[in-house]
Amino acid sequence: MSEQNQTESILQAIHLTQKLRSSVAKVFQNMADGCSVEKGNEKHILNKFHESLLAVNNDISDLEKTGNMLVSPSPVTANSMYLSNDPAIDKTPVYQQILQAYKWSNKISDLSGLAANVLEAQNKLKRSQPITIMQAKRPKRLPPTGHAFPQTVVEQTLNRLRKLPEISDIKTTHPLGSHAVLQITLGSVLKAQVALRGLMIEWVNVRGYTEENPDDSKLELWAKSRYEVFQKVTESCTAASLYFYTPHNAEFAINLFMKWFTQYRTLFSAKCSKCCNHYLNGLPPTWRDLATYEPYHDACRQ
Ligand SMILES: [Zn+2]
């Protein structure tokens, strides 16, 4: 029901209520006043009383009909309507403001619906369903692939690494199943044992060139070097393997690591880039910068 019809119905209901009050008052007034009944005129008096009661009955019916046409207050403002019971309503016109805002937003909603229909008809656009958070597609996280390379791919990658000029030799064994363990010889400086999982570097251990493996056939991974300098290099290599760790591009990661690792060819000949000395506390520069490859003593790198 539109706002205008609603107002007309309310006015009509008020009018009918006044009419009902008038007719009821007339009945009671006539009854209270009484009247003289002449002999033979009883039927006429009864008819008049019956007519006035019928008028009351008709007025009640009309009022009920009009009342049924009225719409109950909206549930949106249902509770707020009690604000109008505030005796200081003239000073706090909250309810009127809420009502006005509600009517305004209703009008906006109606008009926007009409506008959408017009646009839809013109552009033949389908109104899309609102996308909920659950429906919205989340970007899929790719599983790591670096551990899942077949042996042939691993061998091809190692063959490419063997061509690096600084690397003297890369021996490959498979003591733990399909995954390779490398022994990398870097000039006449050091030997490194590198355990791979696919192409991902799992473990690095560095010992001196002259240090024999406790068990040459298994390329002993866990025996630390007896020299502090190679223990420091092992720590640096472990840090670098974590730095270059890229589970989605393990081949790229191992190439970066090997390029960085080959800088240890100058372990005993390079000067520290900070203090410009060969030795500090009896050790050469055991750290190579991860980006610039410059040599630093462990104490000079910060
Ligand atoms: Zn230094």
Side-chain angles (χ1 to χ4, degrees), residues 220-238:
E220 178 59 58
L221 272 170
W222 317 111
K224 283 186 175 180
S225 170
R226 61 178 181 270
Y227 303 111
E228 191 181 351
V229 58
F230 296 114
Q231 290 172 13
K232 287 276 182 192
V233 173
T234 300
E235 288 174 13
S236 300
C237 288
T238 306

Side-chain angles (χ1 to χ4, degrees), residues 272-277 280 296-297 300:
C272 172
S273 293
K274 189 173 183 185
C275 66
C276 298
N277 290 325
L280 183 72
Y296 289 95
H297 290 117
C300 295

Side-chain angles (χ1 to χ4, degrees), residues 143-181:
T145 53
H147 62 281
F149 282 94
Q151 280 192 26
T152 50
V153 178
V154 176
E155 273 305 317
Q156 285 169 7
T157 308
L158 294 176
N159 285 336
R160 277 198 294 276
L161 292 173
R162 282 186 180 101
K163 290 173 186 169
L164 286 171
E166 296 88 351
I167 293 194
S168 307
D169 185 31
I170 298 180
K171 279 184 191 167
T172 312
T173 52
H174 299 271
L176 304 170
S178 60
H179 298 302
V181 175

